[in-house]
Amino acid sequence: MPTTRYSHKILIVEDDEPLFTALKDNLSAAGFEHLLGARDGEEGLSIALKEKPDLILLDILMPKMDGMTMLDKLCKDGSCKDTKVVLLTNLEADESIMKGIVAHEPSFYLVKANFTVKDVIQKVKIVLGIEPMSTL
């Protein structure tokens, strides 16, 4: 059990059950107390609009609504102005993804094959200002 507890609200929007569970368990173990979850973009959008998380870990390829569409709808609503976003995907950034990245400026874009859950926890801490950027 970590001695430091964090009050930041984090929404994990991920349809891959093992990765969702690993992220949630590791964030909890790292001291994050307010974790929310969604398994698709529609559910993620609904939760994000209601709960106003500090940070969203957002998969791109999901059922019902993809992550880029969810992010676009959040930004059009004005809800992404104060919410940090870390995109998680199996995709390399193609032209449409790059347009979304440029338009919405997520804090990080991580290709799943190139990171560990520990890397994600570190990025979360950097984005939320818990750790300095120099720890990369």
Side-chain angles (χ1 to χ4, degrees):
M1 190 68 115
T3 56
T4 304
R5 306 304 293 171
Y6 304 107
S7 62
H8 303 86
K9 192 181 297 186
I10 299 174
L11 171 58
I12 305 164
V13 186
E14 173 62 61
D15 65 322
D16 180 83
E17 189 63 36
L19 180 55
F20 175 88
T21 301
L23 290 168
K24 189 169 184 182
D25 290 350
N26 281 272
L27 284 163
S28 179
F32 292 95
E33 297 179 319
H34 303 288
L35 302 174
L36 307 165
R39 299 304 195 281
D40 62 65
E42 282 184 4
E43 183 183 18
L45 180 61
S46 175
I47 292 170
L49 291 172
K50 179 181 175 195
E51 297 290 335
K52 309 288 189 215
D54 299 299
L55 181 134
I56 301 172
L57 293 174
L58 181 59
D59 186 14
I60 292 180
L61 287 180
M62 293 182 292
K64 297 185 183 176
M65 180 189 298
D66 65 78
M68 295 309 289
T69 301
M70 180 187 149
L71 183 57
D72 188 55
K73 288 181 184 248
L74 276 175
C75 289
K76 283 181 179 168
D77 177 79
S79 297
C80 73
K81 181 178 63 160
D82 297 321
T83 302
K84 307 292 186 201
V85 177
V86 175
L87 292 173
L88 308 174
T89 188
N90 284 321
L91 303 172
E92 294 294 333
D94 66 10
E95 187 176 338
S96 77
I97 291 172
M98 285 308 298
K99 284 181 184 176
I101 289 172
V102 169
H104 304 304
E105 301 177 0
S107 300
F108 283 102
Y109 172 87
L110 301 173
V111 177
K112 291 178 182 179
N114 300 335
F115 69 81
T116 65
V117 173
K118 183 179 175 184
D119 294 332
V120 176
I121 305 305
Q122 183 181 35
K123 300 294 188 263
V124 165
K125 288 182 175 181
I126 290 168
V127 169
L128 293 174
I130 296 167
E131 288 186 8
M133 183 68 100
S134 62
T135 62
L136 285 173

